[in-house]
Amino acid sequence: MMELRKVDRDNWEEALRLKVMKEQEKLVPSVAVSLAKVYIKPDGDDVEYLPFSIYVNDRMVGFIMHAYVQKTENMYWINGFLIDEQQQGKGYGKQALNAMISWIERKFPHSMETRLTVNRENKHAKALYEKLDYVPTGEEYDGEIVYRRKRV
């Protein structure tokens, strides 16, 4: 069973040990960089960051973070998303993404879409996002392609 749990003082060190394959390191931020954003707020003071660990049967297999701007319709972002190198290829990425989308839509019923960015070289991530109805917006953010998925 898959479950998203907030990263907190009990599991943050385990989350920091998650890593992707060597060739993927330039494609996604490390968990440490994502967790730093919670405090530093590089996208502005109005952006809130909620980091989650991804668990399957009580075993941490990945990390995903939600960033949002309160009271907007389209500023609900998924970022810092990764599945540990030892757990890739098992369908956990798709399950986690679906779980995060569902969580956002329940917590923020006024949200009309979720957004994310992807490194243009990250073919596997692009394919996953497109399977889940994400489409490029034509915009770029921080050198990455912005994708969005309209609420169904």
Side-chain angles (χ1 to χ4, degrees):
M1 180 181 87
M2 173 160 291
E3 169 183 24
L4 300 179
R5 297 182 194 165
K6 287 187 179 175
V7 174
D8 60 20
R9 64 177 57 112
D10 295 326
N11 63 7
W12 69 276
E13 291 176 296
E14 184 179 4
L16 289 176
R17 289 192 289 273
L18 296 168
K19 59 183 174 182
V20 294
M21 292 182 236
K22 189 80 172 154
E23 62 271 15
Q24 296 171 320
E25 288 176 355
K26 65 180 178 159
L27 304 177
V28 296
S30 68
V31 172
V33 167
S34 292
L35 289 177
K37 287 182 177 186
V38 176
Y39 177 74
I40 295 168
K41 294 187 172 246
D43 299 310
D45 289 336
D46 56 342
V47 179
E48 296 296 326
Y49 300 88
L50 300 173
F52 292 89
S53 293
I54 303 162
Y55 285 84
V56 174
N57 299 323
D58 279 333
R59 181 178 186 183
M60 189 182 294
V61 300
F63 177 87
I64 192 166
M65 190 158 71
H66 173 50
Y68 66 98
V69 176
Q70 194 76 267
K71 298 180 182 163
T72 63
E73 291 183 351
N74 66 345
M75 296 305 289
Y76 297 86
W77 294 80
I78 295 171
N79 58 38
F81 178 39
L82 64 88
I83 300 297
D84 187 75
E85 64 181 336
Q86 301 298 316
Q87 303 299 322
Q88 292 182 14
K90 299 177 181 179
Y92 297 152
K94 183 177 179 182
Q95 289 178 52
L97 200 54
N98 277 324
M100 188 81 258
I101 291 165
S102 294
W103 185 90
I104 292 168
E105 290 180 351
R106 278 192 317 276
K107 177 116 171 116
F108 304 99
H110 59 280
S111 66
M112 299 309 294
E113 66 184 32
T114 56
R115 291 178 170 228
L116 50 81
T117 63
V118 63
N119 182 303
R120 63 184 71 258
E121 295 176 34
N122 198 340
K123 293 180 176 96
H124 292 293
K126 284 182 190 177
L128 171 62
Y129 301 148
E130 289 168 7
K131 275 186 208 169
L132 295 176
D133 299 323
Y134 278 89
V135 294
T137 65
E139 303 167 76
E140 280 192 16
Y141 181 80
D142 206 18
E144 294 193 336
I145 302 166
V146 176
Y147 276 68
R148 77 170 171 215
R149 179 186 179 275
K150 291 193 183 268
R151 189 178 190 131
V152 238

